[in-house]
Amino acid sequence: MTGSALPDWRDSLPWPGAGTHKHARGRLGVVSGKATQTGAARLAARAGLRIGAGLVRILCPPDAAAVIAPAIEAVMLTPFGSPEALVEACEGMDAVVIGPAAGVTELTQANVRALATTGAALVVDADGLTAFEAWPEGLFEALDRDDVLTPHEGEFRRLFPGLLESGREAAAADAARRAGAVVVLKGPETVIAAPDGRLAVNGNGTPWLATAGSGDVLAGMIGGLVAQRMDSFDAARAAAWMHAEAARGFGPGLIAEDLPERLPGVLAALHEQGS
Amino acid sequence: MTGSALPDWRDSLPWPGAGTHKHARGRLGVVSGKATQTGAARLAARAGLRIGAGLVRILCPPDAAAVIAPAIEAVMLTPFGSPEALVEACEGMDAVVIGPAAGVTELTQANVRALATTGAALVVDADGLTAFEAWPEGLFEALDRDDVLTPHEGEFRRLFPGLLESGREAAAADAARRAGAVVVLKGPETVIAAPDGRLAVNGNGTPWLATAGSGDVLAGMIGGLVAQRMDSFDAARAAAWMHAEAARGFGPGLIAEDLPERLPGVLAALHEQGS
Amino acid sequence: MTGSALPDWRDSLPWPGAGTHKHARGRLGVVSGKATQTGAARLAARAGLRIGAGLVRILCPPDAAAVIAPAIEAVMLTPFGSPEALVEACEGMDAVVIGPAAGVTELTQANVRALATTGAALVVDADGLTAFEAWPEGLFEALDRDDVLTPHEGEFRRLFPGLLESGREAAAADAARRAGAVVVLKGPETVIAAPDGRLAVNGNGTPWLATAGSGDVLAGMIGGLVAQRMDSFDAARAAAWMHAEAARGFGPGLIAEDLPERLPGVLAALHEQGS
Amino acid sequence: MTGSALPDWRDSLPWPGAGTHKHARGRLGVVSGKATQTGAARLAARAGLRIGAGLVRILCPPDAAAVIAPAIEAVMLTPFGSPEALVEACEGMDAVVIGPAAGVTELTQANVRALATTGAALVVDADGLTAFEAWPEGLFEALDRDDVLTPHEGEFRRLFPGLLESGREAAAADAARRAGAVVVLKGPETVIAAPDGRLAVNGNGTPWLATAGSGDVLAGMIGGLVAQRMDSFDAARAAAWMHAEAARGFGPGLIAEDLPERLPGVLAALHEQGS
C-alpha cells in the first residue's frame, strides 16, 4: 500500500501537438461563490488555464459577474441563476471544478448533483464536500470514477467519519471505493487514491503551501489536467507534485497567487526532461 | 503557391521616427463584447498598443463600460449605443478590430458593415465572421483590400463552404479573392493570402498558442500594425510570426495574457537586426 | 534603556512546520475604511498574508465590498454593518488590524472597543489611534498586553500629550506602560516598547519608507506575525526591521505596494540564516 | 538661447533625508476625468508617487470614484462635485496636476482657475490647456511662476497662436513670459522655458515615447517633483530627461504603463552618481 513513485505520471502529461486546437486541448469550468467570495474561483481558473486547459470559463451567480468580469482577461465568464442554467452553461465542458467558496448550502448540493449529469468530470473541493456532510450518499451516488474529491482532513472526516482511524492511506483507499471516485486527501503527505485501488503518496510536500487559496489552486490544476483528458488519478498525482514543486521553488513569503505564475517554470522542466 | 520567406516583412515594420507623434503613429479601435465578455477586447487592445499603435481605444456597449474602465490605463474607452454611434466614435481611426466576443448577432453584422463605411481598415475576427455565416456577401461587399479576415478553420468553413477541400493554401487564396480582403487562415501553419494573389505560410507556429484569447491577441497585433499603415498582407505575416515567436519563447504554461508582454522582447530583436 | 540588538527575534520567527495547516498558521483580520478608502486595508492584508498568516480576511463596510472584491484573490472578504457584526465576523481570528483609513469617528472608537472583547490581538494604527484623541482611556482600558499601537509622532502626541518631551525612548516606554500594550513609535529610528519594560530601537530605518501606505504595510506585517502567535514585542521588532530591509533593498522610487512583494526575499534570507 | 546642459538639475533632486515624513516629502493631487476616462489620472498619480511625492491623491468626479477605487492602493482618492469642493479637497497640497482626460469644457476652465487660488503649484496639461483656447488670458492670469504648462505642439498653437513661427525655443521662451509660468513644449526635443528667461532643450528624447498616456506620466512626474519643492524649471527638465531615459532603456514595445515602473531604475542610477 505504499505509494508508487511519482514521476511515472510524467509520460501521461497532456502536451499539445502541432495541430491541437484550444477546444481540443480541453475545456474547464470553475463554479464561483457569491459576489464577495469570487477570489477562490479566479485562483482555480487561472491555475487551470496555466496548466494547459485550452478554455477556462468561470460560472458565477448573477450578482458576482460584475466583480469577476473586470478581473479576468483570457478566462471567460458565464452567469447562471439555477442548477439547470449551470448545466446548460457547462455543455461541452471536459471538467468542472466546484466547491471553492461555494457556500455550505443546499444550492451547492444541487449544483454538484446537477453537474454530475453532464459529461464533464468533476473536481469537488471545499464547500462542495462539506455541503454533503449530512448526506454523503447524495454526493457519492452522483460521482463517476473520473471525478475527483479533494478534502483536507477536516473535510474528509465530515464525509467519511471514522475512516481516518485506520491511517491516512487506508482511509483514502477506502474513501475512494466508497465514493466511486478519486480521493485526494490533502496534508503534508497528500494521499491520492483511485476507486480501482491505485494509491499514491505525494513526496514533495512543503509547509509553504499552508496559505489561503492554495487548495483552490490545486483544484484548478487537477481540473485543468483532467480537462485535457489526463487520467484522473494521474492528474491528481501530477497536480499535487507540481503544486508542491511550485511552492518549494518559491519558499517563504509564498501566497496562493504566486502558484499559477510558477507553473510555467515547473512545466518547462518537466517538458524538457521528456524530450 | 509556396509561401514567400517570412523575414522579408521586417523592412516594412513601422518603427517610429524621431518626430513621430502618437496620433501619427496610428490609431486603433477595438470593439468589445457585452459586459461579461470584455476580456477579449482588452487582450486585443493591449496587443495593439504593445505592437506600436500610438492610440488604442476600446469601443464598448454602454453597460460594459463599468467593467472595462477600471481595468485599463493607457488604453482609452468610448461607449457606443448603436452602429451609427460606433461610426462616430471611430472617426479618425486608422484600423478597427471587431469580432472577439462580439456575439453572433445581427447587431454584430450591422456594426461590421457600419465600420466598413469609415476610413479605417478592418480586422474581422471570430464572431465578426460567424455573424455572416448565412450572408457572406453581406460581409464581402463591405470589405476593402486592406481589410483582414482572421478565421480559424471552423470560421473559415462557415464563410467559405467547400473551399478547404482544395487544401489550405488554395482555399485561403480563393477566399481572399472572393472576399476582396486579406485572409489569415489560422492553424499550425497559418496561411496568409491577399486578394492580389500574394500568399504566405507562417513557418514558426507552436502548439502553445492553443489557448483561449490567443486569437484575440493576434487580431490586435494585426490591427496595431495596420493602424501604423503597414501593408495589410505584410502586417498579417509579421503579426503571425511575432505572435508565434512570443509563444515559442515562453513555452509550456503560456496563457494569452503573456503574449502582449512578450512583444517588447520580440520587437527588440527585430529592431536590432534592422539597425 | 538602549535597545537590544535586533536579530535576536530571528529565532522566534513563526516558520510553519511540516504539518502546519493554514488555520493553525494564523488568522488575521484587517478592518477596511469606506468605499473610497480601501487601499490601506488591501495593503495591510497583502503584507499580512505575505509574512505568513495562513488566512487573511478584510472586514469592510457594506458599500466597500464591491470595491474590494475584484481586487483580491487569496485575501478573503466579509462585509459588516455594525460593531456587533464586526465582532461576529472576527470570531476565531488570532489578530486584527484596525485603523488604516478607518476614519476618525465614533464608529471607529466603537469598532476598536468591540474588537477588544474578542480573543484576537489588536494592532491599532492611524485613525484607530486618532479616534481616541479626546478619550485615550477609552482605548487603553480596552487593550491587552499583546495588543500593539503603531503611532507616528503626530498620533503619539494626540494619545500621550507631553510624553515626547522626555525623549522618544522614554516616551515609548512610558506609553506602553500607560496603554498596557506594545507601543511602536515610528520614525527614522522606530522605538518598540512593551508594557513589561522591554525596549528596542530599530536600527535599519531608511528614508525610502516615507511614502503613502508604508505604515499600513507595517501594521499588516505586525498583525501577520502576531496572528502566527509570535510574541507581540518580538513581532513588532521583527516587522519594523523587515519593513525597512525590504525598502532598503529597493531604494529610490519605492512605493508601498512594492513592500509586500519584497518580503519573500527578506524572509528567505532570514530563513536560510536560521537553517 | 541654446539649452543648458541637462545633468545640472541632478544636484537639485529632492532625495528624502533620514527624518523626512511622508507629508514633508510632498503632497500631490491629480484631477481625474469622468468615469470612462480615469486611466490618465491613474498613470499620472502612479508616476508622481514613484518619483517621490510622499502622498498622492486623485480628485475625481463623484461617478468616477467606483472606477478608480478598486484600481489603486497607495494612491488615495477624494471625489469632488464642484470647483469649490475641489479647492477644499486640495487643501495642503503642494502640487496638483490637472488636464489629462479632463474634458475640454467650461468646468475644466473653472477647476483650473479654482485650483490657482490654492497654495499648490499647478501642472496644467492636455485638456486643461485646450479648455482655454478661446480665452488664454483666463489661464495666464491665474498662473504663478512655479506653475507648469505642458503642451505638445497642437496644444501650444491653440494657446499661443503664431508663436511657433519663430522656432520652438523662441516660442517657448515667449510663451513662458506671456503665461508667467514654466512652459514645457513637448516634442522630439522638448523645450523647457521659465518666465525668468531660463531655457533648456532636452537632449535624450526617443520615439518610443510616442504612445498614449506618455504625456500623462510626464505631467505626473513633474507634479511629483514640484510637490517635493524642486524648482519648477528644474523639475520640468529633470522629469523630461528621466521620462525619456525610462523609455530609452525599454525600447520598442513600450507603453505608458511601463514608464512609472522604470523610474526606480532611473532614480537609482541618479542617486548613486550623486553619492
Side-chain angles (χ1 to χ4, degrees):
Chain A
M1 194 164 283
T2 46
S4 48
L6 275 174
D8 70 355
W9 45 256
R10 217 209 46 221
D11 295 335
S12 310
L13 285 174
W15 307 116
T20 307
H21 186 274
K22 66 185 173 186
H23 287 275
R25 203 173 165 193
R27 283 172 284 216
L28 174 65
V30 178
V31 181
S32 172
K34 62 183 181 180
T36 54
Q37 322 267 0
T38 67
R42 285 185 276 133
L43 282 169
R46 181 95 176 174
L49 194 64
R50 279 268 179 228
I51 211 163
L55 290 172
V56 180
R57 185 176 292 280
I58 295 178
L59 298 318
C60 75
D63 70 332
V67 169
I68 298 168
I72 54 175
E73 285 185 285
V75 168
M76 293 178 292
L77 180 64
T78 301
F80 72 94
S82 68
E84 294 71 34
L86 176 60
V87 166
E88 195 177 340
C90 288
E91 193 188 326
M93 294 281 181
D94 298 292
V96 177
V97 175
I98 182 166
V104 181
T105 63
E106 289 192 11
L107 180 57
T108 296
Q109 275 189 357
N111 286 336
V112 170
R113 289 172 58 90
L115 286 173
T117 67
T118 70
L122 302 190
V123 179
V124 187
D125 184 39
D127 293 350
L129 301 168
T130 302
F132 287 96
E133 180 171 10
W135 185 36
E137 287 309 318
L139 173 62
F140 303 158
E141 73 189 22
L143 296 175
D144 278 320
R145 64 183 174 185
D146 62 350
D147 295 332
V148 184
L149 309 182
T150 55
H152 56 55
E153 286 202 1
E155 290 154 355
F156 189 93
R157 283 179 209 278
R158 286 173 211 136
L159 279 186
F160 306 102
L163 279 203
L164 273 170
E165 288 162 26
S166 54
R168 288 171 51 89
E169 293 184 38
D174 200 3
R177 273 189 298 271
R178 285 200 203 175
V182 173
V183 169
V184 179
L185 174 54
K186 297 184 289 192
E189 295 199 315
T190 289
V191 181
I192 301 106
D196 61 9
R198 286 177 293 168
L199 186 79
V201 179
N202 186 49
N204 69 338
T206 160
W208 309 125
L209 286 171
T211 187
S214 169
D216 307 325
V217 171
L218 178 63
M221 290 172 64
I222 298 172
L225 290 174
V226 171
Q228 294 171 82
R229 287 150 212 125
M230 192 176 186
D231 170 77
S232 294
F233 175 74
D234 286 347
R237 288 191 301 154
W241 188 89
M242 287 193 264
H243 187 244
E245 196 69 7
R248 184 180 287 278
F250 192 98
L254 176 84
I255 65 176
E257 294 162 34
D258 300 318
L259 292 168
E261 309 319 302
R262 304 282 298 181
L263 282 179
V266 173
L267 288 164
L270 289 164
H271 190 250
E272 277 164 32
Q273 289 169 16
S275 60
Chain B
M1 193 163 281
T2 47
S4 48
L6 274 173
D8 70 354
W9 45 256
R10 217 209 46 218
D11 296 334
S12 310
L13 285 174
W15 306 115
T20 307
H21 186 275
K22 65 185 174 187
H23 287 274
R25 204 174 165 194
R27 283 172 284 216
L28 175 66
V30 178
V31 181
S32 172
K34 63 184 180 179
T36 54
Q37 321 267 2
T38 67
R42 285 186 276 131
L43 283 169
R46 181 94 176 176
L49 195 63
R50 279 269 179 228
I51 212 164
L55 291 172
V56 180
R57 185 176 292 279
I58 295 177
L59 297 319
C60 73
D63 71 331
V67 170
I68 298 168
I72 54 174
E73 285 185 287
V75 168
M76 294 179 291
L77 180 63
T78 301
F80 71 94
S82 68
E84 294 72 32
L86 176 58
V87 166
E88 195 177 342
C90 288
E91 193 188 326
M93 295 281 181
D94 298 292
V96 177
V97 175
I98 182 165
V104 181
T105 62
E106 289 192 11
L107 181 57
T108 296
Q109 274 189 357
N111 286 336
V112 171
R113 289 173 58 90
L115 285 173
T117 67
T118 70
L122 302 191
V123 179
V124 187
D125 184 39
D127 293 351
L129 301 167
T130 302
F132 288 96
E133 180 170 10
W135 185 36
E137 288 309 318
L139 174 61
F140 303 158
E141 73 188 22
L143 296 175
D144 278 321
R145 65 182 173 184
D146 61 349
D147 295 332
V148 184
L149 308 182
T150 56
H152 56 55
E153 286 202 0
E155 291 154 354
F156 189 93
R157 284 179 209 279
R158 286 174 211 136
L159 280 186
F160 306 101
L163 280 203
L164 273 170
E165 289 162 25
S166 53
R168 288 170 53 87
E169 294 184 37
D174 200 3
R177 272 189 298 270
R178 285 200 204 175
V182 173
V183 169
V184 179
L185 174 54
K186 298 185 289 191
E189 295 200 316
T190 289
V191 181
I192 301 107
D196 62 10
R198 287 176 292 167
L199 185 81
V201 179
N202 186 49
N204 70 337
T206 162
W208 309 125
L209 286 172
T211 186
S214 170
D216 306 325
V217 171
L218 178 63
M221 289 172 64
I222 297 172
L225 290 174
V226 171
Q228 294 171 81
R229 287 150 211 125
M230 193 177 185
D231 170 77
S232 293
F233 176 74
D234 286 345
R237 287 191 300 153
W241 188 89
M242 287 193 263
H243 187 243
E245 195 69 7
R248 185 180 286 279
F250 191 98
L254 176 84
I255 65 176
E257 294 162 35
D258 300 319
L259 291 169
E261 310 318 303
R262 304 282 298 180
L263 282 180
V266 173
L267 288 164
L270 288 165
H271 190 249
E272 276 163 33
Q273 290 169 15
S275 58
Chain C
M1 193 163 281
T2 47
S4 48
L6 276 173
D8 70 355
W9 45 256
R10 216 208 49 220
D11 296 335
S12 310
L13 285 173
W15 306 116
T20 306
H21 186 274
K22 65 185 174 188
H23 288 275
R25 204 173 165 195
R27 283 172 286 215
L28 174 66
V30 178
V31 181
S32 171
K34 63 184 180 178
T36 53
Q37 320 266 0
T38 67
R42 284 186 276 131
L43 282 169
R46 181 93 176 176
L49 194 64
R50 279 269 178 227
I51 211 164
L55 290 171
V56 180
R57 184 176 293 279
I58 295 178
L59 298 318
C60 74
D63 70 332
V67 169
I68 298 169
I72 55 174
E73 285 185 287
V75 167
M76 293 179 292
L77 180 64
T78 301
F80 71 94
S82 68
E84 296 70 34
L86 175 60
V87 166
E88 195 176 340
C90 288
E91 194 188 325
M93 295 281 181
D94 298 292
V96 178
V97 174
I98 182 166
V104 180
T105 63
E106 288 192 11
L107 181 57
T108 296
Q109 274 189 358
N111 285 337
V112 171
R113 289 173 58 91
L115 286 173
T117 67
T118 70
L122 303 190
V123 179
V124 187
D125 184 39
D127 293 350
L129 301 168
T130 301
F132 288 96
E133 180 171 9
W135 185 36
E137 287 310 316
L139 173 61
F140 303 158
E141 74 188 22
L143 296 175
D144 278 320
R145 64 183 174 184
D146 61 351
D147 295 332
V148 184
L149 309 182
T150 54
H152 57 54
E153 286 202 2
E155 291 154 354
F156 189 93
R157 284 179 209 279
R158 285 173 211 137
L159 279 185
F160 306 102
L163 278 203
L164 272 170
E165 289 162 24
S166 53
R168 287 171 53 89
E169 294 184 36
D174 200 3
R177 272 190 297 269
R178 284 199 205 176
V182 173
V183 169
V184 178
L185 174 53
K186 297 185 288 193
E189 295 200 315
T190 289
V191 182
I192 302 106
D196 62 9
R198 286 178 290 167
L199 185 79
V201 178
N202 187 49
N204 69 337
T206 160
W208 308 124
L209 286 171
T211 187
S214 170
D216 307 325
V217 171
L218 178 63
M221 289 172 66
I222 297 172
L225 290 174
V226 171
Q228 293 172 80
R229 287 148 211 127
M230 193 176 186
D231 170 77
S232 294
F233 175 74
D234 286 346
R237 286 192 300 155
W241 188 89
M242 287 193 264
H243 186 244
E245 197 69 7
R248 184 180 288 278
F250 192 98
L254 175 84
I255 66 175
E257 294 161 35
D258 301 318
L259 291 168
E261 309 319 303
R262 304 281 300 179
L263 282 179
V266 173
L267 288 164
L270 288 165
H271 190 250
E272 276 164 32
Q273 289 169 15
S275 60
Chain D
M1 194 164 281
T2 48
S4 47
L6 274 173
D8 70 355
W9 46 255
R10 217 208 49 220
D11 296 335
S12 310
L13 286 173
W15 306 115
T20 307
H21 186 274
K22 66 184 173 187
H23 287 275
R25 203 172 165 196
R27 284 172 284 215
L28 175 66
V30 178
V31 181
S32 171
K34 62 184 182 178
T36 54
Q37 321 266 2
T38 67
R42 285 186 276 131
L43 282 169
R46 181 93 177 177
L49 195 64
R50 279 270 179 227
I51 211 164
L55 290 171
V56 180
R57 184 176 294 278
I58 295 178
L59 297 318
C60 74
D63 70 332
V67 169
I68 299 169
I72 54 173
E73 284 186 287
V75 167
M76 293 179 291
L77 181 63
T78 301
F80 71 94
S82 68
E84 295 71 34
L86 176 59
V87 166
E88 196 177 340
C90 288
E91 194 188 325
M93 295 281 182
D94 298 293
V96 177
V97 175
I98 182 165
V104 180
T105 63
E106 288 192 11
L107 181 57
T108 295
Q109 274 189 358
N111 286 336
V112 171
R113 289 174 58 90
L115 286 172
T117 67
T118 70
L122 302 190
V123 179
V124 187
D125 184 39
D127 293 351
L129 301 168
T130 302
F132 287 96
E133 180 171 8
W135 184 36
E137 287 310 317
L139 174 62
F140 302 159
E141 73 188 23
L143 296 175
D144 278 319
R145 64 183 175 184
D146 62 349
D147 295 332
V148 184
L149 309 183
T150 56
H152 56 54
E153 286 202 2
E155 291 154 353
F156 190 92
R157 284 178 209 279
R158 285 172 212 137
L159 280 186
F160 306 102
L163 279 203
L164 273 169
E165 289 161 25
S166 53
R168 287 171 53 88
E169 295 184 37
D174 199 4
R177 272 189 299 270
R178 284 199 205 176
V182 173
V183 169
V184 178
L185 173 54
K186 297 185 288 193
E189 295 200 315
T190 289
V191 181
I192 302 106
D196 62 9
R198 286 177 291 168
L199 185 80
V201 178
N202 186 49
N204 70 336
T206 162
W208 309 124
L209 286 171
T211 186
S214 169
D216 306 325
V217 171
L218 177 63
M221 290 171 65
I222 297 173
L225 290 175
V226 171
Q228 294 172 80
R229 287 148 211 127
M230 194 177 186
D231 170 77
S232 294
F233 176 74
D234 285 346
R237 287 191 300 154
W241 188 88
M242 287 193 263
H243 187 244
E245 196 69 8
R248 184 180 287 277
F250 192 97
L254 176 84
I255 66 175
E257 294 161 35
D258 300 318
L259 291 168
E261 309 319 302
R262 303 281 300 179
L263 281 180
V266 173
L267 288 164
L270 289 165
H271 190 250
E272 277 164 31
Q273 289 168 16
S275 60

